[in-house]
Amino acid sequence: MKAYLYDNLPGDQRLPHDSGTALSASDLSAIGVLYYHIDSIEGVDALAAERGYKNRDEITVSPEKMGDAYETKVKMFFDEHLHEDEEIRYIRDGKGYFDVRDKGDRWVRIWLEKDDLIILPAGIYHRFTTDESNYVHAMRLFKDEPKWTPLNRSEDLDSNPHRKQYVSQFLA
Ligand code: KMT
Ligand code: NI
Protein backbone atom coordinates (compact mmCIF):
# COMPACT_ATOMS: atom_id res chain seq x y z
CA MET A 1 0.00 0.00 0.00
CA LYS A 2 1.12 3.43 -0.81
CA ALA A 3 -1.01 6.53 -0.25
CA TYR A 4 -0.45 10.07 -1.47
CA LEU A 5 -2.23 13.18 -2.66
CA TYR A 6 -3.30 12.91 -6.30
CA ASP A 7 -1.64 15.45 -8.59
CA ASN A 8 -4.83 16.41 -10.50
CA LEU A 9 -2.81 16.69 -13.71
CA PRO A 10 -4.25 15.61 -17.03
CA GLY A 11 -3.25 12.19 -18.31
CA ASP A 12 -4.53 8.63 -18.23
CA GLN A 13 -6.27 7.75 -14.94
CA ARG A 14 -4.10 4.59 -14.76
CA LEU A 15 -0.85 6.58 -14.43
CA PRO A 16 0.41 7.09 -10.84
CA HIS A 17 -0.50 10.81 -10.57
CA ASP A 18 1.73 11.05 -7.49
CA SER A 19 2.00 14.65 -6.26
CA GLY A 20 4.91 13.67 -3.99
CA THR A 21 2.94 14.25 -0.76
CA ALA A 22 2.79 10.89 1.02
CA LEU A 23 0.09 9.86 3.50
CA SER A 24 0.09 7.13 6.15
CA ALA A 25 -2.42 4.46 7.16
CA SER A 26 -3.32 6.62 10.15
CA ASP A 27 -4.08 9.56 7.84
CA LEU A 28 -6.49 7.19 6.08
CA SER A 29 -8.12 6.04 9.32
CA ALA A 30 -8.77 9.70 10.20
CA ILE A 31 -11.21 9.80 7.27
CA GLY A 32 -12.63 6.39 8.12
CA VAL A 33 -10.65 4.36 5.59
CA LEU A 34 -9.24 1.18 7.12
CA TYR A 35 -6.22 -0.59 5.64
CA TYR A 36 -5.01 -4.12 6.42
CA HIS A 37 -2.31 -6.37 4.95
CA ILE A 38 -3.55 -9.95 5.33
CA ASP A 39 -1.54 -12.83 3.91
CA SER A 40 -3.99 -15.69 4.42
CA ILE A 41 -7.65 -16.43 3.77
CA GLU A 42 -7.92 -17.43 7.44
CA GLY A 43 -6.98 -13.85 8.29
CA VAL A 44 -9.71 -12.54 5.98
CA ASP A 45 -12.20 -15.00 7.49
CA ALA A 46 -11.36 -13.71 10.98
CA LEU A 47 -11.87 -10.08 9.95
CA ALA A 48 -15.10 -11.00 8.14
CA ALA A 49 -16.42 -12.78 11.26
CA GLU A 50 -15.46 -9.85 13.49
CA ARG A 51 -17.13 -7.25 11.24
CA GLY A 52 -20.10 -9.33 10.08
CA TYR A 53 -19.21 -9.71 6.41
CA LYS A 54 -21.32 -12.74 5.60
CA ASN A 55 -21.02 -12.77 1.80
CA ARG A 56 -18.21 -12.50 -0.72
CA ASP A 57 -17.42 -12.93 -4.39
CA GLU A 58 -14.43 -12.41 -6.67
CA ILE A 59 -13.94 -10.16 -9.67
CA THR A 60 -11.20 -9.89 -12.27
CA VAL A 61 -10.84 -6.59 -14.04
CA SER A 62 -8.68 -7.02 -17.15
CA PRO A 63 -8.99 -6.84 -20.95
CA GLU A 64 -8.51 -10.64 -21.07
CA LYS A 65 -11.49 -11.22 -18.81
CA MET A 66 -13.75 -8.38 -19.98
CA GLY A 67 -12.84 -7.99 -23.62
CA ASP A 68 -14.27 -4.90 -25.30
CA ALA A 69 -16.17 -3.95 -22.13
CA TYR A 70 -12.90 -3.37 -20.25
CA GLU A 71 -12.27 0.26 -21.18
CA THR A 72 -15.92 1.18 -20.52
CA LYS A 73 -15.90 -0.60 -17.14
CA VAL A 74 -12.67 1.07 -16.07
CA LYS A 75 -14.12 4.48 -16.90
CA MET A 76 -17.32 3.64 -14.98
CA PHE A 77 -15.39 2.61 -11.87
CA PHE A 78 -13.66 5.99 -12.07
CA ASP A 79 -16.85 8.07 -11.78
CA GLU A 80 -16.91 9.71 -8.36
CA HIS A 81 -19.59 8.07 -6.20
CA LEU A 82 -20.58 6.82 -2.77
CA HIS A 83 -22.44 3.80 -1.40
CA GLU A 84 -24.87 3.38 1.46
CA ASP A 85 -22.75 0.44 2.73
CA GLU A 86 -19.07 -0.14 3.33
CA GLU A 87 -17.00 -1.09 0.26
CA ILE A 88 -14.56 -3.87 1.19
CA ARG A 89 -11.94 -5.10 -1.27
CA TYR A 90 -9.22 -7.71 -0.76
CA ILE A 91 -6.63 -7.77 -3.54
CA ARG A 92 -5.78 -11.35 -4.49
CA ASP A 93 -3.50 -10.48 -7.39
CA GLY A 94 -2.56 -7.53 -9.56
CA LYS A 95 -2.84 -3.90 -8.52
CA GLY A 96 -5.22 -0.98 -8.47
CA TYR A 97 -5.89 2.51 -7.20
CA PHE A 98 -8.71 3.62 -4.92
CA ASP A 99 -9.07 7.39 -4.77
CA VAL A 100 -10.94 8.88 -1.81
CA ARG A 101 -11.77 12.47 -0.90
CA ASP A 102 -10.01 13.91 2.17
CA LYS A 103 -11.27 16.54 4.65
CA GLY A 104 -10.27 19.32 2.22
CA ASP A 105 -12.05 17.53 -0.67
CA ARG A 106 -8.69 16.66 -2.22
CA TRP A 107 -8.18 13.28 -3.88
CA VAL A 108 -6.06 10.82 -1.93
CA ARG A 109 -4.76 7.98 -4.10
CA ILE A 110 -4.28 4.57 -2.46
CA TRP A 111 -2.24 2.03 -4.41
CA LEU A 112 -3.10 -1.53 -3.43
CA GLU A 113 -1.44 -4.80 -4.34
CA LYS A 114 -1.72 -8.48 -3.47
CA ASP A 115 -2.88 -9.17 0.10
CA ASP A 116 -3.94 -5.57 0.73
CA LEU A 117 -7.45 -5.14 2.09
CA ILE A 118 -9.31 -1.85 2.26
CA ILE A 119 -12.58 -0.84 3.89
CA LEU A 120 -14.20 2.36 2.64
CA PRO A 121 -16.91 3.64 4.98
CA ALA A 122 -20.47 4.18 3.80
CA GLY A 123 -20.92 7.71 2.53
CA ILE A 124 -17.33 8.48 1.45
CA TYR A 125 -16.85 9.78 -2.08
CA HIS A 126 -14.44 7.56 -4.00
CA ARG A 127 -13.50 5.98 -7.34
CA PHE A 128 -11.38 3.07 -8.57
CA THR A 129 -9.03 2.40 -11.45
CA THR A 130 -6.63 -0.29 -12.52
CA ASP A 131 -3.03 0.87 -12.94
CA GLU A 132 -0.79 0.57 -16.00
CA SER A 133 -0.69 -3.22 -15.61
CA ASN A 134 -4.43 -3.35 -16.49
CA TYR A 135 -5.03 -6.30 -14.18
CA VAL A 136 -6.62 -6.75 -10.78
CA HIS A 137 -8.23 -9.77 -9.15
CA ALA A 138 -10.11 -8.85 -6.00
CA MET A 139 -12.47 -10.34 -3.44
CA ARG A 140 -15.52 -8.20 -2.68
CA LEU A 141 -16.98 -8.71 0.78
CA PHE A 142 -20.34 -7.51 2.06
CA LYS A 143 -22.49 -7.70 5.12
CA ASP A 144 -25.77 -8.75 3.56
CA GLU A 145 -26.94 -8.85 -0.01
CA PRO A 146 -24.50 -7.16 -2.38
CA LYS A 147 -25.70 -3.62 -2.97
CA TRP A 148 -23.40 -2.15 -5.58
CA THR A 149 -25.53 0.87 -6.48
CA PRO A 150 -23.09 3.74 -7.01
CA LEU A 151 -24.61 7.10 -6.16
CA ASN A 152 -22.80 9.62 -8.30
CA ARG A 153 -21.63 12.82 -6.65
CA SER A 154 -24.34 15.41 -6.47
CA GLU A 155 -25.57 18.11 -4.09
CA ASP A 156 -28.75 16.05 -3.82
CA LEU A 157 -26.72 13.57 -1.76
CA ASP A 158 -25.94 16.20 0.90
CA SER A 159 -29.21 15.17 2.57
CA ASN A 160 -28.66 11.42 2.18
CA PRO A 161 -28.60 9.92 5.72
CA HIS A 162 -25.51 7.78 4.98
CA ARG A 163 -23.65 10.79 3.59
CA LYS A 164 -24.73 12.94 6.55
CA GLN A 165 -23.56 10.26 8.98
CA TYR A 166 -20.15 10.07 7.25
CA VAL A 167 -19.74 13.86 7.19
CA SER A 168 -20.64 14.25 10.86
CA GLN A 169 -18.36 11.41 11.95
CA PHE A 170 -15.26 12.15 9.84
CA LEU A 171 -15.38 15.55 8.16
CA ALA A 172 -16.99 17.80 10.75
C1 KMT B 1 -15.43 -1.12 -7.48
O1 KMT B 1 -16.40 -1.15 -6.74
O2 KMT B 1 -14.93 -0.08 -7.91
C2 KMT B 1 -14.85 -2.37 -7.87
O3 KMT B 1 -15.36 -3.39 -7.47
C3 KMT B 1 -13.66 -2.33 -8.73
C4 KMT B 1 -13.01 -3.63 -8.86
S1 KMT B 1 -12.45 -4.34 -7.33
C5 KMT B 1 -10.84 -3.74 -7.06
NI1 NI C 1 -17.60 2.20 -5.01
Side-chain angles (χ1 to χ4, degrees):
M1 190 278 281
K2 188 181 166 194
Y4 51 83
L5 289 183
Y6 189 80
D7 65 11
N8 288 312
L9 295 174
D12 194 286
Q13 67 192 47
R14 288 166 282 204
L15 294 169
H17 289 280
D18 188 346
S19 69
T21 302
L23 296 175
S24 66
S26 79
D27 293 323
L28 299 180
S29 70
I31 51 172
V33 173
L34 303 178
Y35 165 73
Y36 301 85
H37 189 86
I38 305 180
D39 64 7
S40 72
I41 286 294
E42 291 73 26
V44 174
D45 292 344
L47 181 80
E50 184 188 309
R51 296 184 67 93
Y53 304 147
K54 296 189 284 291
N55 295 303
R56 59 181 74 176
D57 68 7
E58 301 212 4
I59 180 173
T60 299
V61 182
S62 70
E64 288 68 30
K65 191 83 181 179
M66 296 179 159
D68 289 347
Y70 175 73
E71 292 292 329
T72 313
K73 275 278 185 191
V74 159
K75 285 193 181 67
M76 277 175 51
F77 287 141
F78 205 61
D79 283 337
E80 181 172 6
H81 64 278
L82 60 75
H83 307 281
E84 297 188 337
D85 277 323
E86 290 178 351
E87 178 165 318
I88 307 119
R89 297 291 183 270
Y90 178 52
I91 309 298
R92 309 300 312 278
D93 197 12
K95 299 173 179 67
Y97 297 115
F98 280 92
D99 294 342
V100 298
R101 291 287 190 182
D102 74 0
K103 289 179 201 275
D105 209 30
R106 294 172 299 194
W107 281 120
V108 171
R109 175 152 278 199
I110 308 163
W111 188 53
L112 298 180
E113 52 194 330
K114 182 172 159 40
D115 295 343
D116 287 340
L117 186 148
I118 198 157
I119 303 174
L120 306 183
I124 193 173
Y125 279 118
H126 66 278
R127 63 189 183 187
F128 171 80
T129 185
T130 44
D131 72 2
E132 290 166 276
S133 68
N134 288 299
Y135 176 78
V136 71
H137 170 201
M139 180 185 288
R140 309 187 289 187
L141 298 105
F142 27 90
K143 286 188 170 139
D144 299 302
E145 293 313 304
K147 223 171 62 185
W148 300 131
T149 319
L151 302 175
N152 285 340
R153 185 158 178 167
S154 145
E155 280 176 18
D156 297 348
L157 287 175
D158 293 353
S159 59
N160 176 289
H162 297 86
R163 176 63 185 165
K164 283 170 75 172
Q165 165 62 31
Y166 175 75
V167 169
S168 67
Q169 190 173 351
F170 294 106
L171 304 185

